[in-house]
Amino acid sequence: MSSAIGYKCMSCGFEKEMTDKITYVCEKCNSNLEIVYDYSKIKEQATKKFFEENKNYNMFRYFHFYPLEEKTTRSPLQVGWTPLYRTESLGKKYGCPNLYIKDEGKNPSGSLKDRAGSIALAKSFEFKAKKVAGASTGNAGSSMACLCASVGISPIIFVPKTAPKAKIAQLLLYGAKVIAVNGTYDMAFDLCHDICEKYGWFNRNTGYNPFTREGKKSCSFEICEQLGWKAPDWVVVSVGDGNIISGIWKGFKDLYNVGLIDKLPKICAAQSEKSNAVVKSVKNSTLENIKIETISATTLADSISVDLPRDGIGAVKAVLESNGTCVEFSDEKILEALKEISSMTGIFTEPAGSASIAGFKELAKQGLFKEDETIVCIATGNGLKDVDSAMKVAGTPHITEPSVEEAIKVIQES
Ligand SMILES: Cc1ncc(COP(=O)(O)O)c(C=O)c1O
Ligand SMILES: [Zn+2]
């Protein structure tokens, strides 16, 4: 039996039991819901000894923390247990030798979204969904399509028609029905919502579906275990809808609640100044009075280009409850960070991933971090997903004729 006991509204606190039908939002105030657990039950089973003996290196090694029954069908792909690299030289450049990067591009479809999709897919089986659908800037959809392909089903995915080619290629090749919307991600989101409501399909939409956060939190479980069951001092997360950051925060709180870590990190939200709804919302909110702002997003980091953050309350709570902070920067800084992280660490991440490094650099320059503190940046997606953006800062190769003399001359002159 799962230790999940119900839903709780993130705004008004209204609680509801789990039934065999999915509940997406609060029936009293329409806000997002979070999943509530019986932590005393998890604590009995999820011990350090259990993890020492558990050789199952993927996100399901933390099975006790998910709202899933043991026998539910899951994707057989390896999601999670991505590398956490200590990137000392990059860190030292900014006075932080204990800088780590979690390389989420190593997941099956190349982004952290596979964690969310894994739980959402399994829940769609538990709820006996007749159809799975979702809206996406590209990654959530290609992830859902990937995981669905691994169990032989085809989801319906709504994306803005401007989504990067590689993400569209993934979607099509994995066999999803791809609906490219002539409009923004937010329009695709609303369209998917309306269709799912009308036809009773399982809606995987980020933030709206309360189960996506439950998968994303697994990233924090791994960070702590990889650091020897210690939480870092800081975690820097790039933010669009705010579901990753709220999942990251929930993961740390889950581990704290069962005594697997003894302190919580501070969480930093990193956003492009061309998609800064969460930064603005944090500025205008207190924990007692959270106000979510809407903007008109235009950042080149497509995965974090969001007008209305659909897990905005969760994102604001992650920053405020953890005593963290927010940071915003130009798109140029995102590309600069992309080049720097590639050349200094060998990790190739898409612009939304390098946004966390751009945020780290900015905060380090402001003197936020102490030299002995541990900082984790999350490189949320693989660089191959958006090669056009990468090429903006990659430079050009040196052309030569296929002759040794000619090539040596070019090498010496370059
Ligand atoms: C690579 C990548 N980074 C960051 C994000 C932002 O996550 P969220 O929208 O949950 O804030 C996304 C979301 O699509 C993503 O795909
Ligand atoms: Zn409510």
Side-chain angles (χ1 to χ4, degrees), residues 11-252:
S11 283
C12 75
F14 178 74
E15 292 195 40
K16 192 176 172 199
E17 274 185 8
M18 293 236 169
T19 63
D20 56 3
K21 239 179 126 246
I22 185 166
T23 307
Y24 291 106
V25 287
C26 174
E27 62 190 53
K28 300 276 175 216
C29 75
N30 222 32
S31 280
N32 291 350
L33 298 171
E34 67 175 334
I35 308 299
V36 182
Y37 293 87
D38 175 355
Y39 286 109
S40 59
K41 193 170 154 197
I42 300 178
K43 195 173 178 169
E44 278 168 22
Q45 297 160 344
T47 58
K48 284 188 190 167
K49 185 165 180 294
F50 168 82
F51 290 107
E52 261 160 42
E53 289 166 3
N54 183 345
K55 303 291 173 236
N56 188 23
Y57 285 104
N58 59 61
M59 66 176 277
F60 285 102
R61 68 192 271 100
Y62 309 102
F63 180 79
H64 306 102
F65 292 88
Y66 303 136
L68 287 181
E69 298 308 324
E70 213 155 329
K71 291 211 168 72
T72 305
T73 304
R74 303 181 215 148
S75 165
L77 297 175
Q78 189 203 313
V79 179
W81 203 256
T82 55
L84 178 71
Y85 294 115
R86 180 156 184 227
T87 48
E88 199 178 345
S89 11
L90 179 62
K92 266 190 179 156
K93 192 169 160 192
Y94 299 98
C96 303
N98 298 316
L99 173 70
Y100 289 79
I101 296 179
K102 182 81 167 149
D103 186 7
E104 288 295 301
K106 291 288 185 295
N107 280 304
S109 78
S111 86
L112 188 148
K113 299 278 162 168
D114 289 335
R115 299 178 184 274
S118 292
I119 302 292
L121 176 66
K123 287 311 289 184
S124 78
F125 288 127
E126 286 187 2
F127 292 124
K128 301 190 171 46
K130 47 184 179 194
K131 202 81 200 153
V132 174
S136 170
T137 54
N139 283 336
S142 55
S143 164
M144 204 62 212
C146 168
L147 298 161
C148 283
S150 76
V151 293
I153 59 176
S154 164
I156 298 174
I157 304 293
F158 299 84
V159 283
K161 72 170 192 209
T162 51
K165 276 199 301 279
K167 298 179 185 180
I168 304 267
Q170 281 185 297
L171 279 165
L172 294 167
L173 288 165
Y174 288 136
K177 193 174 281 270
V178 185
I179 311 299
V181 178
N182 202 0
T184 61
Y185 162 64
D186 290 75
M187 292 170 189
F189 189 102
D190 291 336
L191 179 62
C192 177
H193 169 270
D194 294 350
I195 292 182
C196 286
E197 194 135 280
K198 184 158 182 195
Y199 293 99
W201 297 347
F202 181 84
N203 184 352
R204 178 251 175 260
N205 273 4
T206 293
Y208 177 74
N209 184 316
F211 296 102
T212 57
R213 194 184 300 113
E214 297 309 301
K216 288 172 178 173
K217 70 185 185 181
S218 60
C219 187
S220 303
F221 299 161
E222 291 174 17
I223 291 170
C224 292
E225 190 174 358
Q226 288 166 326
L227 290 174
W229 292 114
K230 275 203 189 97
D233 296 291
W234 299 91
V235 184
V236 189
V237 189
S238 55
V239 176
D241 272 319
N243 195 235
I244 294 183
I245 196 168
S246 89
I248 291 286
W249 179 230
K250 180 140 196 220
F252 289 114

Side-chain angles (χ1 to χ4, degrees), residues 34 249 253 264-265 287 290 314 316-324:
E34 67 175 334
W249 179 230
K253 285 193 295 181
L264 290 165
L287 273 175
I290 295 179
V316 171
K317 282 190 175 183
V319 174
L320 295 181
E321 284 176 2
S322 73
N323 285 317

